[in-house]
Amino acid sequence: MSLLKPFSKLPGLNTANILLVEGEEQFQQSLADALVEETAFTVNVRLAKSLPLPLENEESRPRIDLVVFIINLTSELSFQSAEASLKYLDPGYFLGKVCFMVTNARNASVPTEQLDAVRKLAASLHCPLLFAEDQTPDGVTNAAERLMTILKVAAGLVPMATSLYLSSLTRCTVPLDIDQPSFE
Amino acid sequence: MAEVKSGERAAAVLSEAAQCELLDLCEDQFAQLEKLQNEVILCEPDFGENPQEQSINRLIATEAELKQWLAVEPKLLAANSEVLLQAGKEEMLKLCSELEMVASCYEAKRDKLRETKELEQKWLEQKNQVLIAASDHAERLRMEKETLSELSVLQDTKAKIQKMKVYQERLMESLGDVLEKHVPLPQNEPSANRKKKNIELEISEDLISLNEILEVLMNKVLNTPHDPYVTIDNTFWPPYVEMLLRYGIAVRHQENNFKIRLETFF
C-alpha cells in the first residue's frame, strides 16, 4: 500500500497539479479539458479511476496539489469507490488539499440518503463539497472555475493564502438536523 | 513561491544588474524550499487514521499556521527599486484591468436600475392618479354628507311624498275620466221596447257604477288584507263583474262563486 503524500516531491515552477478521481470516468475528461485552458500558469491534470495510483510511473508523477473525488449521485458504486480510495491518501492531504465534487445532484431519482452520506463523509474529513452540472458546457466551465480557485491556493500560487486557511472557510458542515426525520 | 514567480516575470524587461539580483533571490528561495522539503520528508509524522485524530491534527495545523502568520514580518519583494517599479507597474496594470471590469459591470447594473426606475416611476404616476381620483371622490362624498342636514332630508322626503300624492291624484283622475267616458252607469236607454226598459229601470235602481265597484274592492283589500273577498249582491251589475273577471282585474273565490276580490297587482 503506497500512500499518496502531499510533500514528497518538490513543486514545479508556476505549475499546479490536480488529480481527478472518478470511478466511472464520465466527467473526468471534459473537466480536464476545461481545466487546462488556464493560461496564467501550467495546469497538469492527472486522471485516475481509483487510488492507490499505479507504482510504475511513480517517478514521473509530479507532486499532486489537489485531489478531487468526483461522485455521481445516481450511482452507489461511485460513492463506494471514492470511499475506498480515501484510505490511500496521506492524512496531510486532508488539511485542505482534498475536495469532493458531486454530479447529478439535481436528478429526481437520487435518494436523499445518498446525498446525506456524501455530506457526512465530506464533513467528517473537513473537506469542501462542490456541486457540478456535468451535462452542459456551461456547467463544466463553472465547475472548472471553482476547482481552479481551490487549486491556485493549494498549489501556493496565491500570496498570503494557504489551503488549510481556505478549507477552514469552505469545508462542508453537516446540518444539525440531518439525522432528524423530516416531516415531508 | 509567489514572490519568486512575480519576480521572474518582471525580469523580462529589467536591466542586467536587476535581473541578476532577482535570479539570486530566486535561487535563495529555491534553496530554502529544498531545505524545507527535505525536512518535511524526514520528519513525516505518522498521522492517525480515525477522524477524531484527524480533527486534532487539523486543529494543531491551524494553530501552527496562526502562530506563523502572527509572527511573520512583512518584507519587501526585493531591495532593487527597478524591480519594485516593474512589479508595481504590473500589479497596477492588473488592478486597472480588474477595476475596468468592475466598472463596466456596475455600469451595466446602473443602466438596468435606471430602466427599472423609469418603469417604477411610470407606475407611481399611475398610482398617484388613481389616488387623486379616489380622494376626489371621497372628498365629494364627504361634502355631500356635510351639507345634508336632517332638515333637508325631511324636506326631501316631504317633496317626494308630495310628488307621489300628485301623481296618484292624477292617476285617479284619469281613471275616473276613463271610466266615466267608456263605462258609464247603466241607465235608461232610449230603447224601443217599453217593457224591457221598465225591467231595466227596475233592476238599475240600486246599481252602483264601475267606479264604485272598484272602490269597494280596493278598500276591502286595503282594510282587511287577510280577507279581501267581496260578496256580489244585486248592486253589482253582472256585465261589469263579468268584465272585471274576464280582463283579470278581479278573481272569483275558489269555493264561493258569489265572492270576488281584486287581483293582486302588487
Side-chain angles (χ1 to χ4, degrees), chain B residues 99-113:
Chain B
L99 285 178
E100 263 165 24
M101 260 156 70
V102 170
S104 74
C105 177
Y106 270 90
E107 264 165 25
K109 214 170 176 178
R110 185 198 61 194
D111 289 348
K112 214 169 140 201
L113 280 177

Side-chain angles (χ1 to χ4, degrees), chain B residues 141-159:
Chain B
L141 284 180
R142 203 172 56 78
M143 292 278 279
E144 250 171 49
K145 202 177 136 200
E146 265 176 16
T147 49
L148 267 183
S149 65
E150 209 171 320
L151 189 69
S152 72
V153 170
L154 203 66
Q155 276 171 345
D156 243 31
T157 317
K158 265 186 189 162

Side-chain angles (χ1 to χ4, degrees), chain A residues 7 14 91 94 126 162 167, chain B residues 5 37 40 47 55 58 65:
Chain A
F7 299 114
N14 283 342
F94 295 108
H126 308 280
T162 65
S167 81
Chain B
K5 188 196 74 181
Q37 178 74 27
V40 165
F47 283 104
S55 294
R58 197 181 172 80
E65 198 174 304

Side-chain angles (χ1 to χ4, degrees), chain B residues 136-197:
Chain B
D136 268 8
H137 189 65
E139 182 68 13
R140 214 169 45 235
L141 284 180
R142 203 172 56 78
M143 292 278 279
E144 250 171 49
K145 202 177 136 200
E146 265 176 16
T147 49
L148 267 183
S149 65
E150 209 171 320
L151 189 69
S152 72
V153 170
L154 203 66
Q155 276 171 345
D156 243 31
T157 317
K158 265 186 189 162
K160 274 180 192 163
I161 291 172
Q162 192 59 37
K163 227 163 88 187
M164 281 315 286
K165 270 187 181 158
V166 171
Y167 184 60
Q168 196 215 9
E169 200 89 338
R170 224 176 62 223
L171 276 182
M172 293 308 272
E173 260 172 38
S174 45
L175 179 65
D177 285 354
V178 165
L179 289 178
E180 202 180 320
K181 194 173 167 191
H182 297 284
V183 274
L185 191 73
Q187 343 169 297
N188 312 345
E189 286 162 53
S191 172
N193 200 328
R194 191 80 206 161
K195 192 184 162 194
K196 204 176 175 181
K197 196 177 160 189

Side-chain angles (χ1 to χ4, degrees), chain A residues 10-30:
Chain A
L10 279 174
L13 198 61
N14 283 342
T15 312
N17 306 299
I18 185 169
L19 175 67
L20 304 179
V21 184
E22 186 187 25
E24 284 150 349
E25 298 180 303
Q26 288 169 336
F27 186 33
Q28 261 180 343
Q29 196 56 53
S30 53

Side-chain angles (χ1 to χ4, degrees), chain B residues 25-42:
Chain B
L25 219 74
C26 286
E27 257 158 34
D28 283 354
Q29 290 273 0
F30 203 74
Q32 205 194 340
L33 183 71
E34 270 179 332
K35 205 183 92 199
L36 288 175
Q37 178 74 27
N38 284 335
E39 271 176 41
V40 165
I41 289 172
L42 284 177

